[in-house]
Amino acid sequence: MKKAPKGKYAWTVTVGEKGQIVIPKQAREVFGIEPGDNLVLLGDEKRGIAIPPKGSISEIFSRIFEEGAE
């Protein structure tokens, strides 16, 4: 198996009956995700789903509202 480039990761998750997923322990550790944290789930029908780093939420909203103001 080919080793992933530094800083790049891939995990698999299973969607439960209630539509919930469990973020793998290694991913939680790498990204500092703690119980009770709020995360944003972004979706694009063509590109898929993304969970941006929790510290970047305000930057994402700023970009969204700047683009919408034009």
Side-chain angles (χ1 to χ4, degrees):
M1 178 179 250
K2 188 176 180 180
K3 188 173 179 178
K6 184 175 179 163
K8 305 290 183 182
Y9 303 91
W11 297 280
T12 61
V13 298
T14 301
V15 179
E17 292 179 21
K18 295 181 180 181
Q20 298 170 320
I21 62 169
V22 174
I23 299 172
K25 182 180 180 196
Q26 184 187 25
R28 294 191 314 266
E29 290 173 348
V30 167
F31 294 102
I33 299 170
E34 300 288 334
D37 283 350
N38 289 304
L39 304 175
V40 173
L41 185 69
L42 303 175
D44 181 298
E45 290 182 355
K46 294 181 181 174
R47 297 177 67 192
I49 295 174
I51 304 173
K54 64 182 182 180
S56 67
I57 294 172
S58 61
E59 179 184 336
I60 291 167
F61 283 128
S62 294
R63 288 184 182 187
I64 289 170
F65 290 119
E66 285 175 10
E67 291 176 11
E70 294 176 7

